[in-house]
Amino acid sequence: MSTRFEDFYRRSIENRDLFWAEQAELIDWQQKPQQICDYSNPPFAKWFVGGTTNLCHNAIDRHLAARADQNALIAISTETNTEKVYSYGELHAEVNHMAAVLQALGVQKGDRVQIYMPMIAEACFAMLACVRLGAIHSVVFGGFASGALASRIDDAEPKVIISADAGSRGGRVVAYKPLLDEALKQSTHQPAGVLMVNRGLADMPMQAGRDHDWTTLRAQHLNAKVDCIWVESTHPSYTLYTSGTTGKPKGVQRDTGGYTVALASSMPSIFDGQAGQTFFCTSDIGWVVGHSYIIYAPLIAGMATVLYEGLPIRPDAGIWWSIVEKYKVTHMFSAPTAIRVLKKHDAEYLTRYDISSLKALWLAGEPLDEPTATWISEAIKKPIIDNYWQTETGWPIMTLCNGVEKQATRFGSPGKAVYGYNVKLIDDATGEELTDANQKGVLAIEGPLPPGCMQTVWRDDKRFVSTYWSSIPGRQIYNTFDWGIRDEEGYYFILGRTDDVINVAGHRLGTREIEESISAHAQVAEVAVVGVADTLKGQAALAFCVVRDASVVADEASSKAMEADVMKLVDSRLGAVARPSRVIFVTALPKTRSGKLLRRALQAVAEGRDPGDLSTMEDPAVLSQVQQRL
Ligand code: ATP
Ligand code: MG
C-alpha cells in the first residue's frame, strides 16, 4: 500500500495538470486559467495560461476581510533597537503609499524597479508595491559593492531605484548612498528616479531632479488607494541573481501565477503552516529564501512574518529565541551557516526562553552537516528539517512534506523529492539515468519544471537553455549542478556541487563527505575542503579549518598535532584515500554574502590561479590570510 505522500507525489507527476489545477484553487484569480501548463516549447514552461492574478492582492488585499487587525509584518532591528508591528490593514496602507509614490515617479506595469535596501519594513513595502503595479522588482543584496550593483543596474535597466541612507551590521553603519552613487557613475543605464529612505544613520547627499525623499513623497500620498493591476499569470514578478558561488551570478526571471500557487501550496503541504501563525525566516530579502519565505509565502498564507535586521549573536546568542518567545513564532527558517555561528557560543543561550510555540526549524542554503544538525537539535529540542533548493527553483526541491504526511527526519539528508519535481539521478559521463539505490549521480529535474521555478534567464533565453538544459550528454533535462545519492526509501543526500568533486588517484570524492568527517572533530567549528592539482595523484584534498578555541593551534607543534588528529579522523571515517594532504588552520573561511563557502576562490588561491569574480565575496581580507598560510 502506498502512503499518503507517495500518492500525492505520484499524482503531481502523472496527473500534473489536474494536480496543479487543484493547487491553483489556493489563490485568488481575477480570471481563471484556461490551460494549466503549456509545454509546447520546451524547456520553456508556461503555467496557468490565460489566468490573471496579482501577487500583492494574494499577499495582502484578500486577507483584509478576515484579518485586517492581525499581525502581518513584525520588523525588528537589533541594530537600531527598533521594533514595529504592522497589521494586515496597516501593511495594506503602507504598500498603497509606496505604490502611489512609485506611480508618481512614472513606474508602470513591466517597468523594472531595483531595490537596494537593508532589512527594513520599507523594503517589504517596496517589493509588494512593485508587484501591486505589475512592475518587476530586482532586489540587490544591501551592501553589495558598487561594481556588483552597477552590473545589475545595467542588466535590469530600472526606471526607479529604491534605497536607503544606510544599513547596519554588528553595530557598524554601512552608508548605501555613496555606494549607489558610485554604481550609477559606473553604469550605462540611468534611472529616471531614485527613492531614498532616510533612517538617520548616515549622510545621504541628494541629486536634485533625480533623488527623492520617501518621507516627503509618502506624506503627499497618505490617502492613496492604488488598485492592484491584474497581470497575466506568465507576467514576470521579479528577477533575482543567484549567489555567485560558482562564478558569475545568473539573473533568474520568475513568473507571477506559478510562483503564487507554488508558495501558496508550500505553506500547508511542506511547512504545515496556517493563517494566524508566525513565520520567522532569518535570511535576507536579497536572497531567494528571503523573497519566498520572509515576504511572499507567509503573507500569502495569512501568517505574520518577522523581518529581522541584525546578527544572530547580538546582543547575545539568545536574541532569535527571545523573538520566538515574544511573538510566539511557530515556524523558523535559517541557514546552516547561521547555526555554525551560534555553535561557537554556549548552547545555554538558546534555552533561556520559552520557545514552546515553535514547531520546527527549517534550514537551507548549504549542506547541513550532521554535527551541526545534532548540536542545534539538542540545543533547542525541536525537529530540524533540512531543505534543498536553488534561486532558480524559488521553493524547495527536496524536503519533508510534513503537511501532507509526517515524514521521518534523517540527518544528512534533506528528505525526499518534493511534489511537482520529477527528480532524476544521472550519470554525468553517459547521461544515463541511475535507478538503483545508493548510486552517485548528478541531480537533475525532468521538464517541465513545476510552477514557481525560473521562467528563463532575464533577457537571455539562450543562456537559460545552454546553461541548464544542454549540459548533460544526450539529455534535455534541467541540471542542478549538484550531485547526490538516493537511498532505498527515496531519501536524497546532497554530496556537493558537481565541480566540487575531487578525483584522488581515480577515486571520486565529494568535498562534502570529507568535510563532514572533519567537522565531527570536537574542536572544529568550520571546514572547507578543496581539490588542488597534484602531479602524482591528479588531485589532492586540502582542508581549511577554523577551530573553536584558537589556543589548540597557537604554535607550530600544536598545529601539527591537530593536523594529525584531523587526518586520523578522516582515515577512520572514510579511509586513507580521502585523507587531506594538508590541513591549514585559518580564523575564517571565504564566503559569499549569503554565507556560502567560496570553494572556487580557495581552490584558485591554493593552485596559484586568479580567483576570478569576487564581487559576491563577504570579506576579501579572509583570502589574504589563506594565501599567507598556504
Ligand atoms: P551560483 O549558482 O551563482 O553559483 P549558488 O548556487 O550558491 O550560486 P543559490 O541559488 O543561492 O546560488 O544556492 C543554491 C545551491 O546551494 C544549491 O544548488 C546547492 O548547491 C546549495 N544548497 C542549497 N540548499 C542546500 C541543502 N539543503 N543541502 C545542500 N546544498 C544546498
Ligand atoms: Mg547555483
Side-chain angles (χ1 to χ4, degrees):
M1 219 191 69
S2 54
T3 65
R4 230 180 105 86
F5 174 74
E6 282 162 3
D7 287 341
F8 195 76
Y9 180 82
R10 194 173 313 119
R11 248 168 63 72
S12 77
I13 304 296
E14 290 170 9
N15 256 322
R16 184 187 73 206
D17 286 7
L18 217 59
F19 178 91
W20 286 110
E22 280 167 21
Q23 300 300 315
E25 298 288 323
L26 291 168
I27 73 162
D28 279 3
W29 297 91
Q30 212 259 339
Q31 250 170 55
K32 296 261 179 216
Q34 274 132 34
Q35 188 186 1
I36 299 304
C37 181
D38 174 0
Y39 198 49
S40 58
N41 179 28
F44 301 92
K46 290 185 186 160
W47 284 96
F48 309 114
V49 181
T52 55
T53 186
N54 182 285
L55 189 44
C56 184
H57 167 85
N58 278 287
I60 303 179
D61 298 54
R62 72 171 175 145
H63 300 306
L64 292 177
R67 55 187 92 258
D69 296 328
Q70 286 183 18
N71 289 357
L73 177 68
I74 302 166
I76 302 172
S77 171
T78 50
E79 297 292 334
T80 54
N81 288 315
T82 50
E83 210 164 301
K84 185 153 174 73
V85 181
Y86 298 83
S87 66
Y88 270 93
E90 289 163 334
L91 181 60
H92 179 254
E94 290 296 349
V95 170
N96 268 278
H97 302 151
M98 184 67 85
V101 168
L102 290 179
Q103 262 181 343
L105 294 176
V107 173
Q108 291 175 1
K109 181 183 166 192
D111 286 342
R112 273 82 55 210
V113 173
Q114 203 134 26
I115 299 176
Y116 177 65
M117 292 178 90
M119 291 282 287
I120 54 176
E122 288 81 359
C124 175
F125 309 156
M127 291 167 74
L128 288 158
C130 285
V131 293
R132 189 172 191 84
L133 298 173
I136 303 165
H137 62 65
S138 177
V139 181
V140 177
F141 177 72
F144 253 142
S146 327
L149 181 56
S151 66
R152 286 160 175 75
I153 291 171
D154 277 335
D155 196 32
E157 302 189 318
K159 174 153 286 172
V160 166
I161 299 179
I162 311 178
S163 188
D165 59 336
S168 177
R169 198 153 173 228
R172 226 171 17 123
V173 169
V174 182
Y176 283 9
K177 188 69 192 330
L179 293 172
L180 174 58
D181 284 342
E182 178 54 36
L184 285 171
K185 270 195 207 128
Q186 293 174 23
S187 67
T188 313
H189 175 81
Q190 296 300 312
V194 172
L195 182 63
M196 296 297 302
V197 176
N198 192 354
R199 313 173 70 191
L201 293 180
D203 275 351
M204 201 176 80
M206 302 288 269
Q207 182 177 313
R210 184 194 71 183
D211 299 352
H212 305 270
D213 176 60
W214 158 244
T215 312
T216 312
L217 292 194
R218 178 181 176 273
Q220 295 166 12
H221 294 91
L222 284 182
N223 299 315
K225 283 269 171 305
V226 180
D227 288 339
C228 289
I229 306 284
W230 301 109
V231 300
E232 314 80 69
S233 175
T234 52
H235 180 71
S237 56
Y238 66 78
T239 66
L240 179 65
Y241 293 87
T242 59
S243 292
T245 310
T246 52
K248 193 172 177 290
K250 299 160 282 261
V252 166
Q253 177 182 320
R254 192 95 57 212
D255 76 348
T256 298
Y259 186 57
T260 312
V261 170
L263 295 186
S265 96
S266 76
M267 206 44 98
S269 294
I270 295 178
F271 295 92
D272 198 12
Q274 286 146 29
Q277 297 179 326
T278 302
F279 207 98
F280 177 13
C281 173
T282 71
S283 179
D284 190 283
I285 51 154
W287 315 126
V288 68
V289 171
H291 278 60
S292 295
Y293 292 101
I294 298 176
I295 308 295
Y296 292 117
L299 295 176
I300 290 169
M303 299 166 109
T305 186
V306 177
L307 181 82
Y308 175 78
E309 179 188 47
L311 301 181
I313 49 167
R314 200 169 164 270
D316 62 46
I319 177 65
W320 282 358
W321 319 91
S322 76
I323 293 172
V324 172
E325 175 182 282
K326 180 164 180 191
Y327 291 103
K328 303 210 167 33
V329 171
T330 47
H331 296 70
M332 195 157 167
F333 193 140
S334 192
T337 180
I339 304 306
R340 283 186 211 113
V341 170
L342 292 177
K343 201 173 152 202
K344 291 180 190 149
H345 296 254
D346 197 338
E348 191 263 329
Y349 281 113
L350 282 57
T351 53
R352 280 190 192 164
Y353 300 92
D354 175 5
I355 58 167
S356 54
S357 58
L358 195 66
K359 294 196 200 202
L361 169 65
W362 283 263
L363 297 172
E366 269 199 301
L368 174 62
D369 58 289
E370 201 175 324
T372 302
T374 306
W375 181 84
I376 186 69
S377 140
E378 282 169 7
I380 65 169
K381 303 200 168 49
K382 299 283 177 183
I384 307 300
I385 306 176
D386 189 3
N387 57 123
Y388 160 80
W389 42 302
Q390 308 182 308
T391 309
E392 289 87 342
T393 67
W395 63 295
I397 304 169
M398 286 164 202
T399 189
L400 308 181
C401 291
N402 276 339
V404 178
E405 173 191 276
K406 287 274 172 286
Q407 293 176 308
T409 308
R410 239 174 256 178
F411 282 168
S413 163
K416 301 182 183 183
V418 166
Y419 58 91
Y421 289 96
N422 195 359
V423 176
K424 307 272 180 199
L425 275 175
I426 304 287
D427 183 306
D428 63 346
T430 64
E432 259 164 64
E433 188 177 339
L434 304 169
T435 48
D436 290 347
N438 303 318
Q439 291 176 291
K440 291 180 188 178
V442 179
L443 289 164
I445 305 167
E446 194 76 64
L449 294 175
C453 293
M454 77 190 293
Q455 292 180 290
T456 184
V457 172
W458 172 249
R459 283 189 170 157
D460 202 346
D461 287 350
K462 267 207 190 113
R463 188 170 178 209
F464 176 61
V465 176
S466 66
T467 303
Y468 297 102
W469 299 87
S470 317
S471 53
I472 300 178
R475 304 268 319 209
Q476 247 238 33
I477 192 168
Y478 174 88
N479 190 343
T480 64
F481 297 102
D482 290 312
W483 70 311
I485 194 166
R486 180 180 52 226
D487 72 9
E488 299 80 8
E489 286 168 70
Y491 281 79
Y492 285 87
F493 294 80
I494 314 292
L495 299 174
R497 296 167 189 270
T498 42
D499 41 0
D500 288 339
V501 177
I502 304 181
N503 199 327
V504 184
H507 299 274
R508 284 155 56 85
L509 302 161
T511 49
R512 163 140 196 219
E513 297 171 275
I514 308 177
E515 285 166 6
E516 186 106 12
S517 64
I518 295 176
S519 65
H521 194 292
Q523 264 304 335
V524 172
E526 272 188 290
V527 54
V529 170
V530 298
V532 293
D534 183 280
T535 39
L536 223 58
K537 299 179 186 161
Q539 268 189 316
L542 278 194
F544 295 86
C545 278
V546 179
V547 290
R548 289 170 68 95
D549 172 2
S551 70
V552 300
V553 293
D555 54 47
E556 189 154 347
S558 53
S559 291
K560 278 274 165 249
M562 181 71 185
E563 178 177 34
D565 236 31
V566 167
M567 289 179 170
K568 233 184 343 197
L569 193 63
V570 177
D571 285 4
S572 70
R573 297 200 152 211
L574 288 178
V577 59
R579 182 198 305 159
S581 61
R582 275 179 75 192
V583 182
I584 297 144
F585 298 100
V586 288
T587 56
L589 296 171
K591 292 201 175 154
T592 62
R593 300 209 183 216
S594 56
K596 290 159 184 277
L597 264 180
L598 269 168
R599 283 202 195 74
R600 68 176 160 92
L602 276 177
Q603 189 187 35
V605 168
E607 290 184 337
R609 285 184 289 113
D610 169 21
D613 181 358
L614 293 179
S615 62
T616 59
M617 186 153 94
E618 166 89 48
D619 178 6
V622 173
L623 217 51
S624 337
Q625 188 198 37
V626 167
Q627 208 141 24
Q628 270 167 24
R629 306 241 162 133
L630 270 165

